[in-house]
Amino acid sequence: MKRYEAYAAQIAEMIATGALKPGDRIPTVRDAGRQQGISPATVFRAYYLLESRGLIVARPRSGYYVSALPERVPPPVVSQPLQQSTAVEKADLIYEVLGAAKQPQIVPLGSAFPSVRLFPLDKLARSVSRGMRAFDPGRVVADLSPGNAELRRLIALRYRIDGLRVSADEIVVTDGAMEALNLCLLAVTKPGDAVILESPTFYGALQALERLHLRAIEIPTDPLSGIDLQALATVLRRQRPAACWLMPSFQNPLGSLMPESRKAELVQLLAEHEVPLIEDDVYGDLYYAAQRPRPAKAFDQQGLVLHCSSFSKSLAPGYRIGWVAPGRYVRQLQRLKLGTTLSAAMPSQVALADYLSGSGFDPHLRRLRERLAEQRDAMAAAVAEFFPKGTRATRPEGGYFMWLELPRNIDTLSLHRQALRKGISIAPGALFSARNDFAHCLRLNYGHPDDRRVNRALRTLGQLAAALQR
């Protein structure tokens, strides 16, 4: 984090905690520079960043002041699923909803992807060219599962920088995170087994369970702090699940972030019951705080955490490069990958290895996180202004999804169909449960800050929701 970002984060924290209140004057550029030991230019950059996020406002010849905060929408309540093993039959609905929103003219609030214009595609293209010119054709066979050695080395290096003990030999490169997650399920379950999920959960997990003839056990999940560990402990004692599939950092669709102490407790609890954790960490790099949150893998002493991630959300959408660090299951994952798709695409692997060997990834991530945080705040303000009274919404500290809980008499599947007719996609709550526990909820994607249609679409959605309430 750069010095101006660190100082901006310090002021933002004081505003969030109430130490600085709306209308309060913040330190002058001169005073801040003297107090923090930073240059006036650094202070100005920090204040410009805070101003762009709507946290402070400049008054001519007077200085900077804390903005009057927009009305805050309260967070959704903690889910209350049945917590019983349930068969999954969601494929048709998921296909219908996702397939209807592929057209480019649709405002992609229901999309699972951020805007491609947020990514350094030109630089990646040059990396493809450089990487393939230098590529030794003999590596085609050598780089079959577990994948390109240099790419695995660079991924492992990033883990070590973050303080995680993950070796290159443990990493298996896959065709995106979804393949990694599916291979993990194949490694630790058999048909008929039950798998623990958060509630609400990522619909991709439901698709995988349905395809592999597995059952779902959905656990109450706090929109702020993640899965309920007490409820999880009860299920582990009573139902003997085969595995857990969880997103401890910036969960899709809630955006919840488990505190590190709770991640450590989660890993310890699962180790006591010898239940493997399939950790989906694809949004881990998209944090807005000063440091990347440590994944559950950081607390794994037994090799029971199969940690999955990808470059699709943070760097290279469409390149389809993910990976898994599967702990004690590394041999099974290598064989499963080799026995299914042999290898991830070589051009994508060598391109990403070339790009990561330079110094551009972290500056790109800083810019990406900054834009996503700004767009989150803009969407939160629009939801407060346009949506019906009684609406609740999350305010994630990472990722690019916001979860809305509307008044219970609003059916968001009907809202989805009406919105499509207006050229707007949403992800209705019915996608995110094996049952139908979230019929009045929806997920919105705020990862499109370059799309000027978003604010107008949110106004239209609010009007449609209000009409359904009548």
Side-chain angles (χ1 to χ4, degrees):
M1 176 177 283
K2 295 181 179 178
R3 301 189 75 180
Y4 81 92
E5 292 174 315
Y7 180 52
Q10 180 182 331
I11 296 293
E13 178 68 17
M14 294 173 70
I15 294 172
T17 59
L20 286 171
K21 296 179 172 54
D24 284 354
R25 186 180 183 185
I26 64 174
T28 66
V29 172
R30 180 180 296 176
D31 288 345
R34 185 172 59 252
Q35 293 165 7
Q36 301 293 322
I38 55 181
S39 69
T42 300
V43 179
F44 272 121
R45 291 193 70 185
Y47 287 176
Y48 293 156
L49 177 57
L50 292 166
E51 194 174 18
S52 72
R53 294 182 180 176
L55 295 177
I56 65 174
V57 60
R59 296 180 185 172
R61 295 184 297 278
S62 180
Y64 287 92
Y65 293 79
V66 178
S67 301
L69 297 177
E71 180 183 353
R72 282 284 179 88
V73 177
V77 299
V78 177
S79 62
Q80 295 296 328
L82 195 59
Q83 300 179 60
Q84 294 180 359
S85 177
T86 304
V88 182
E89 297 179 358
K90 286 285 178 176
D92 290 343
L93 177 62
I94 293 170
Y95 185 81
E96 173 200 335
V97 171
L98 300 185
K102 290 181 178 179
Q103 295 85 357
Q105 69 271 20
I106 297 289
V107 184
L109 299 182
S111 171
F113 303 98
S115 170
V116 295
R117 289 188 286 272
L118 296 175
F119 300 99
L121 299 183
D122 289 346
K123 294 178 181 177
L124 286 168
R126 290 194 289 273
S127 285
V128 173
S129 178
R130 277 195 305 270
M132 291 310 294
R133 282 200 305 269
F135 183 64
D136 176 2
R139 301 297 306 175
V140 170
V141 174
D143 284 351
L144 294 177
S145 181
N148 179 270
E150 178 63 7
L151 178 59
R152 290 186 292 116
R153 184 188 71 81
L154 290 166
I155 293 171
L157 177 61
R158 294 190 67 82
Y159 279 120
R160 286 200 296 275
I161 290 170
D162 287 334
L164 273 71
R165 292 177 295 178
V166 175
S167 72
D169 291 338
E170 183 186 349
I171 293 169
V172 179
V173 180
T174 60
D175 291 298
M178 277 307 304
E179 186 187 40
L181 293 157
N182 278 272
L183 292 177
C184 289
L185 276 180
L186 285 169
V188 299
T189 67
K190 62 183 184 303
D193 281 347
V195 176
I196 287 174
L197 303 172
E198 292 135 328
S199 173
T201 194
F202 171 43
Y203 55 72
L206 296 173
Q207 288 176 298
L209 266 59
E210 182 173 357
R211 185 175 58 257
L212 296 176
H213 304 288
L214 301 168
R215 299 175 67 83
I217 304 175
E218 296 168 278
I219 304 295
T221 303
D222 189 293
L224 299 177
S225 59
I227 194 168
D228 182 329
L229 295 180
Q230 185 173 353
L232 174 61
T234 299
V235 167
L236 289 170
R237 287 196 307 270
R238 295 177 179 175
Q239 300 195 44
R240 297 182 180 277
C244 286
W245 175 331
L246 305 178
M247 280 190 188
S249 296
F250 315 126
Q251 192 256 6
N252 177 4
L254 291 174
S256 59
L257 172 63
M258 290 189 77
E260 289 191 356
S261 60
R262 288 171 54 81
K263 288 177 182 174
E265 188 178 349
L266 166 69
V267 172
Q268 178 61 34
L269 177 63
L270 293 175
E272 290 171 2
H273 292 269
E274 282 285 310
V275 173
L277 169 62
I278 301 171
E279 180 181 25
D280 185 347
D281 194 43
V282 295
Y283 305 103
D285 278 324
L286 304 183
Y287 57 93
Y288 308 150
Q291 291 184 321
R292 191 190 199 282
R294 288 196 292 174
K297 181 71 173 177
F299 307 99
D300 182 23
Q301 302 295 321
Q302 308 288 333
L304 279 168
V305 177
L306 299 90
H307 175 85
C308 303
S309 193
S310 164
F311 291 113
S312 296
K313 314 299 185 184
S314 61
L315 176 62
Y319 280 55
R320 305 304 306 147
I321 294 297
W323 66 90
V324 54
R328 67 171 69 169
Y329 302 97
V330 63
R331 185 67 62 87
Q332 292 99 308
L333 264 291
Q334 289 176 353
R335 290 179 174 179
L336 283 167
K337 173 61 180 172
L338 194 62
T340 51
T341 55
L342 290 179
S343 168
M346 294 298 174
S348 294
Q349 292 190 68
V350 298
L352 288 169
D354 179 88
Y355 182 87
L356 293 174
S357 66
S359 58
F361 190 29
D362 287 309
H364 156 71
L365 286 175
R366 285 195 291 270
R367 290 189 296 270
L368 176 60
R369 292 192 293 260
E370 183 176 311
R371 297 199 69 187
L372 291 177
E374 291 169 1
Q375 190 64 14
R376 175 205 58 187
D377 294 343
M379 180 171 281
V383 168
E385 181 178 359
F386 301 141
F387 277 69
K389 185 178 181 180
T391 296
R392 294 172 171 268
T394 56
R395 190 176 183 274
E397 293 303 317
Y400 49 86
F401 294 126
M402 185 175 293
W403 179 252
L404 271 62
E405 181 184 306
L406 304 184
R408 284 194 171 270
N409 58 348
I410 298 177
D411 177 13
T412 56
L413 195 53
S414 296
L415 179 61
H416 150 72
R417 288 165 179 154
Q418 291 192 21
L420 272 181
R421 290 196 284 272
K422 299 284 188 179
I424 305 164
S425 75
I426 63 170
L431 295 182
F432 301 96
S433 170
R435 298 167 61 85
N436 197 28
D437 294 337
F438 303 102
H440 63 301
C441 299
L442 69 148
R443 187 197 71 186
L444 296 178
N445 179 327
Y446 57 83
H448 292 264
D450 52 352
D451 192 333
R452 297 181 179 179
R453 303 172 297 168
V454 167
N455 196 64
R456 186 167 60 250
L458 290 169
R459 182 189 293 272
T460 300
L461 275 178
Q463 293 168 346
L464 292 173
L468 285 171
Q469 194 177 17
R470 296 179 190 136

